Amino acid sequence: MTVIRQDDVIQSVADALQYISYYHPKDFIDAMAAAYEREENPAAKDAIAQILINSRMCATGHRPICQDTGIVTVFVHVGMNVTWDADMSLDDMINEGVRRAYLLPDNILRASVLADPDGKRANTKDNTPAIIHHSIVPGDTVDIHVAAKGGGSEAKSKFAMLNPSDSVVDWVMEQLPKMGAGWCPPGMLGIGIGGTAEKAMMIAKEALLDPIDIQDLQARGPSNRAEEIRLELFDKINKSGIGAQGLGGLTTVLDIKVKDYPTHAANKPVAIIPNCAATRHAHFTLDGSGPAVLEAPKLEDWPKITREAGENVKRVNLDTVTPAEVKTWLPGDTLLLNGKLLTGRDAAHKRMIDMLAKGEPLPVDMKGRFIYYVGPVDPIGDEVVGPAGPTTATRMDKFTRTMLEETGLLGMVGKAERGQLAIDAIRDNEAVYLMAVGGSAYLVAQAIKKSRVVGFEDLGMEAIYEFEVEDMPVTVAVDSLGTSVHQTGPAKWKEIIAQSA
């Protein structure tokens, strides 16, 4: 019998989570590099370039690919012949590995897990507990997949109990526009079909652990219904024109993954779970010989890409910018932000709205200023701030009108599209929304030269910071007239793709 030691499980999980925090899988890098070469929309091409440059920087600097270092999901297959040299449960071993990984001083990872999710929402401080799925299988090893799943992509998950005669492909295509770009395309969609409600969701998540191999499938052709669905959806979704970061373009998904399971005759449960541009997962096997060793990729695996400035690039001084200047910005313009930039996301916005309702003064004057939707990773060494990429802007939509009208806020920076509620408020107040690229958190952090907390320090990563930035790249996503590039871009590129077919 194989004896698996407690410390080997703990160390292997911790090492794997550190590994995936700064190394993309090679298949993802290859697929993104191919998408970059193929892309014809300059805005989407630049977004992919930023993701790839960020990825290489993280591989060399051993810092997180994304500021959202994820909630940990673990799939464990335990061989029936295994015995344990342990005094902890398997779940406790895995969670101790998570704790060690996220608190490692050399590469602190952001703790994003909150207990009492509909109450106090108190941070557990170490990103535990993980979501753990177990299987007992024949054999004498322990097989473990670990993944770190970002909240932005997880928030776009969908589930439906279809009628047996309903089309899975049609339902997925109906959900796609509702998902927006908050899941940070290009990435993958995991689709689970069958079983029960919870089984469909679980196999959709598990499907995302498989390597990108859609080109192999295209070459050999499908051998079952699941593979037929993969090919059909891959083609249709990429013809939708959504593109990288929802800006419009040729590549929206790098692969479609489908797993199915027998189901009740009256049911057809279907789940979609997207994986974002911060695709992070690793697989290892414990056989009793010690902790797992994950081989570091070669830097040659990353393409050598430099960003091209392109047209319509404008340098902006946030300390002197005026409403009149904002009105000259056009959708799709690239801006380089300089000066003082405030931050704030969900918890900070909720508290500010409550304070405004009570007539209480805010901790910082926002008149004529810009706010960045971000929850950064803690800095290490001489860093000013850790990786600090944008969070999904639509979560702040319900606060936008009040913030613009009662504080004099001039602009916002975030990830992906805004909903109509926010777009109307931006138009009515002649404000602006700027988009930073999701999945380029370490690259963005290089533009931040100073950082200090100016409000709500008790909120940790959700506190209000004041950053001083130099040439922070953003795209005008909603202009002062309410024109959204996330609406015009995909529509334009869907038409271009259709005409070239």
Side-chain angles (χ1 to χ4, degrees):
M1 283 190 176
T2 300
V3 178
I4 304 296
R5 297 192 311 126
Q6 174 175 295
D7 288 348
D8 291 347
V9 175
I10 295 171
Q11 194 61 52
S12 298
V13 170
D15 290 348
L17 288 168
Q18 277 286 315
Y19 180 97
I20 64 176
S21 77
Y22 44 75
Y23 288 142
H24 268 128
K26 186 178 184 303
D27 59 285
F28 177 86
I29 295 299
D30 292 344
M32 283 292 283
Y36 174 80
E37 295 298 332
R38 185 169 57 247
E39 188 55 65
E40 296 175 11
N41 178 6
K45 194 176 185 76
D46 181 63
I48 297 172
Q50 289 190 51
I51 291 167
L52 286 169
I53 293 167
N54 179 76
S55 179
R56 184 182 174 91
M57 288 173 63
C58 294
T60 56
H62 285 195
R63 291 295 272 143
I65 292 166
C66 182
Q67 80 290 338
D68 182 351
T69 54
I71 186 169
V72 177
T73 302
V74 182
F75 288 85
V76 189
H77 296 263
V78 180
M80 295 170 69
N81 296 331
V82 164
T83 59
W84 298 91
D85 178 8
D87 54 24
M88 298 169 70
S89 71
L90 179 56
D91 282 14
D92 286 346
M93 292 182 229
I94 291 169
N95 280 318
E96 179 58 27
V98 174
R99 185 174 296 110
R100 291 187 189 180
Y102 277 74
L103 298 178
L104 185 71
D106 290 344
N107 182 38
I108 298 169
L109 306 180
R110 196 185 83 185
S112 301
V113 173
L114 309 180
D116 192 12
D118 194 41
K120 293 181 179 179
R121 293 181 66 83
N123 199 300
T124 63
K125 306 295 187 183
D126 56 14
N127 226 52
T128 64
I131 310 301
I132 306 171
H133 303 282
H134 315 83
S135 296
I136 306 299
V137 298
D140 52 8
T141 61
V142 176
D143 199 61
I144 301 179
H145 274 96
V146 297
K149 188 68 163 54
S153 60
E154 191 74 0
K156 302 301 181 179
S157 301
K158 302 290 181 183
F159 172 80
M161 189 66 75
L162 301 185
N163 292 318
S165 60
D166 291 343
S167 165
V168 170
V169 170
D170 288 350
W171 178 75
V172 172
M173 295 306 297
E174 288 171 7
Q175 304 314 305
L176 199 64
K178 303 174 188 177
M179 291 165 61
W183 59 281
C184 281
M188 293 189 292
L189 297 184
I191 298 172
I193 306 171
T196 52
E198 80 281 7
K199 183 67 173 181
M201 295 299 291
M202 190 186 80
I203 59 178
K205 178 65 68 65
E206 191 174 19
L208 292 170
L209 302 174
D210 291 343
I212 295 171
D213 63 355
I214 193 72
Q215 284 74 27
D216 294 340
L217 178 57
Q218 288 172 322
R220 67 173 170 81
S223 59
N224 53 47
R225 179 58 186 153
E227 291 183 345
E228 290 174 357
I229 293 173
R230 285 182 64 192
L231 291 174
E232 186 174 355
L233 283 173
F234 182 77
D235 181 60
K236 287 185 173 181
I237 291 173
N238 282 325
K239 286 181 177 176
S240 71
I242 292 170
Q245 304 289 299
L247 295 168
L250 303 182
T251 302
T252 302
V253 288
L254 302 175
D255 202 344
I256 300 289
K257 296 298 183 184
V258 178
K259 283 187 180 291
D260 60 23
Y261 196 86
T263 193
H264 190 282
N267 303 143
K268 190 191 283 187
V270 184
I272 306 171
I273 302 182
N275 220 6
C276 63
T279 293
R280 296 167 296 201
H281 57 85
H283 168 241
F284 59 87
T285 300
L286 299 177
D287 59 8
S289 62
V293 177
L294 295 172
E295 185 177 347
K298 300 179 179 66
L299 284 181
E300 295 78 39
D301 292 339
W302 278 264
K304 293 181 179 179
I305 290 174
T306 56
R307 294 184 64 214
E308 298 175 6
E311 300 178 358
N312 301 321
V313 176
K314 302 175 181 178
R315 186 167 273 104
V316 174
N317 185 340
L318 294 171
D319 301 332
T320 60
V321 66
T322 65
E325 185 180 352
V326 165
K327 291 177 186 177
T328 69
W329 300 345
L330 301 175
D333 281 356
T334 298
L335 308 181
L336 298 176
L337 303 183
N338 293 269
K340 294 181 176 64
L341 175 66
L342 296 173
T343 79
R345 41 178 282 162
D346 309 65
H349 274 75
K350 176 65 167 63
R351 188 175 292 185
M352 286 190 286
I353 295 298
D354 290 345
M355 292 174 72
L356 290 169
K358 296 174 184 176
E360 298 174 358
L362 300 183
V364 62
D365 183 6
M366 297 202 171
K367 185 174 178 58
R369 302 195 67 178
F370 281 66
I371 193 166
Y372 180 28
Y373 302 148
V374 62
V377 176
D378 289 343
I380 62 169
D382 60 357
E383 288 181 343
V384 170
V385 67
T391 196
T392 306
T394 49
R395 297 204 310 275
M396 268 53 73
D397 282 2
K398 63 183 179 181
F399 306 122
T400 298
R401 183 172 291 277
T402 301
M403 290 294 295
L404 293 176
E405 295 181 354
E406 296 198 26
T407 73
L409 189 71
L410 185 55
M412 300 147 285
V413 183
K415 180 184 79 175
E417 76 284 349
R418 302 308 298 264
Q420 197 59 48
L421 192 70
I423 291 172
D424 291 345
I426 292 167
R427 179 200 61 222
D428 294 347
N429 290 276
E430 298 181 323
V432 70
Y433 167 62
L434 311 174
M435 189 209 80
V437 172
S440 62
Y442 196 37
L443 175 63
V444 171
Q446 309 313 303
I448 302 169
K449 305 305 179 183
K450 292 183 182 179
S451 171
R452 66 187 182 102
V453 176
V454 294
F456 308 154
E457 186 171 8
D458 62 297
L459 294 181
M461 64 95 173
E462 294 214 50
I464 299 176
Y465 292 79
E466 184 181 74
F467 291 162
E468 288 193 28
V469 298
E470 290 183 9
D471 287 350
M472 175 179 166
V474 294
T475 300
V476 178
V478 181
D479 71 358
S480 62
L481 299 176
T483 303
S484 170
V485 74
H486 287 100
Q487 295 174 358
T488 59
K492 171 185 174 181
W493 281 89
K494 181 177 182 179
E495 184 177 345
I496 291 172
I497 293 167
Q499 290 175 350
S500 63

